Amino acid sequence: MKSGKLALLSSDSDTINEAHSQHELPGDAPFDAVSTALEIEEKLSLNEGKNCYIGKAAKEDVEYIESPEITEKGEIINTESAERRVYTTTFLLVPDEFVIVDNSAGKFLFPLLSEETAHTAFPAEINVDSFTAEYDDAEYWKVGFEGRADGTENGVLHGDAVFNDSEFGAVVTDSNKNQIGANFEYGGELLKLFLTKSGYIEVYQPDSIDSEEFSEFIAEVLLPYSQMK
């Protein structure tokens, strides 16, 4: 795993247990109950004695699907039927620090953790401006900006060394930044990173980065710039 949506954790335990629950639905619902499940697949040992848990979670929901139907009289009508839909996500979890799910659809895990485990999850924001100020020697190949008062409300600039762009470099340097793409040295390797203010993180390179290295990177480099929304 080397991408996902970040949340910060407040934990009452340094472990996490598997969980399976059924949640009853109201009497007029098409099904009696829906289920949630959380499985732990692996435990990793990180620096400073921290544990990282790799797992997956699933949540059932009821969705109403509208579809056309031909009646016996030859009329074309729309009918609605209820279906169980199962949403799944993989995750990395470091107790009392963070959890990251593989995409935005996996955000259902955040309230599930709070309800079923000793961990409370808070969706995170990343302070992109502080990150770029600290890593000013990185090579930035993408910068998104917002909230300018000079008529240029928002935008995204692509290219090599975008902060040095003769036309728009000053605009993005002085703006509130909401996303960046950067190349910089980490752990003796060149790392190609994309991250957003809303808490999405993706490491494009090196291809060989694994879940343990990704977790270490988040803990060491990105958590200092992360806060609860």
Side-chain angles (χ1 to χ4, degrees):
M1 187 171 175
K2 55 183 182 178
S3 66
K5 193 80 169 178
L6 182 69
L8 303 180
L9 283 184
S10 175
S11 302
D12 294 326
S13 173
D14 60 359
T15 64
I16 182 169
N17 296 321
E18 296 188 336
H20 174 229
S21 298
Q22 284 201 324
H23 307 269
E24 291 187 2
L25 297 176
D28 58 348
F31 306 107
D32 294 333
V34 291
S35 297
T36 58
L38 188 151
E39 294 182 353
I40 305 302
E41 298 179 323
E42 189 176 357
K43 183 175 81 170
L44 305 173
S45 295
L46 306 182
N47 292 337
E48 301 178 2
K50 300 172 185 176
N51 292 325
C52 176
Y53 295 88
I54 301 175
K56 59 184 179 181
K59 174 189 177 182
E60 279 187 333
D61 209 346
V62 179
E63 291 196 2
Y64 292 89
I65 309 299
E66 192 173 271
S67 57
E69 183 177 303
I70 301 174
T71 69
E72 293 180 354
K73 295 181 180 181
E75 298 173 323
I76 302 173
I77 62 173
N78 288 324
T79 61
E80 192 177 68
S81 60
E83 293 184 0
R84 291 181 189 270
R85 181 68 62 87
V86 179
Y87 297 91
T88 63
T89 189
T90 57
F91 65 87
L92 300 174
L93 184 149
V94 179
D96 219 30
E97 293 209 356
F98 72 88
V99 60
I100 187 164
V101 294
D102 57 8
N103 54 51
S104 294
K107 291 188 293 184
F108 72 84
L109 177 65
F110 301 157
L112 177 60
L113 286 172
S114 303
E115 295 165 5
E116 302 288 345
T117 75
H119 308 275
T120 303
F122 303 93
E125 285 187 344
I126 299 173
N127 190 324
V128 180
D129 290 313
S130 295
F131 180 91
T132 55
E134 177 68 23
Y135 292 94
D136 57 353
D137 57 345
E139 178 188 343
Y140 290 93
W141 46 267
K142 181 177 184 178
V143 178
F145 61 93
E146 62 185 1
R148 289 185 62 85
D150 60 0
T152 310
E153 294 183 0
N154 57 73
V156 179
L157 185 64
H158 300 258
D160 296 327
V162 293
F163 288 124
N164 298 325
D165 184 270
S166 58
E167 186 174 359
F168 296 107
V171 172
V172 294
T173 299
D174 297 336
S175 297
N176 296 322
K177 288 168 275 296
N178 56 20
Q179 60 178 282
I180 57 100
N183 298 331
F184 66 103
E185 289 284 338
Y186 172 74
E189 293 186 289
L190 181 64
L191 187 145
K192 185 174 184 179
L193 167 72
F194 174 71
L195 62 83
T196 70
K197 177 182 176 181
S198 62
Y200 181 76
I201 304 162
E202 184 165 4
V203 174
Y204 295 123
Q205 293 176 357
D207 293 333
S208 60
I209 192 169
D210 58 22
S211 295
E212 181 176 348
E213 293 167 327
F214 185 49
S215 300
E216 295 278 16
F217 170 72
I218 294 172
E220 293 177 7
V221 176
L222 297 183
L223 281 193
Y225 306 100
S226 302
Q227 60 192 24
M228 291 184 292
K229 286 186 177 180

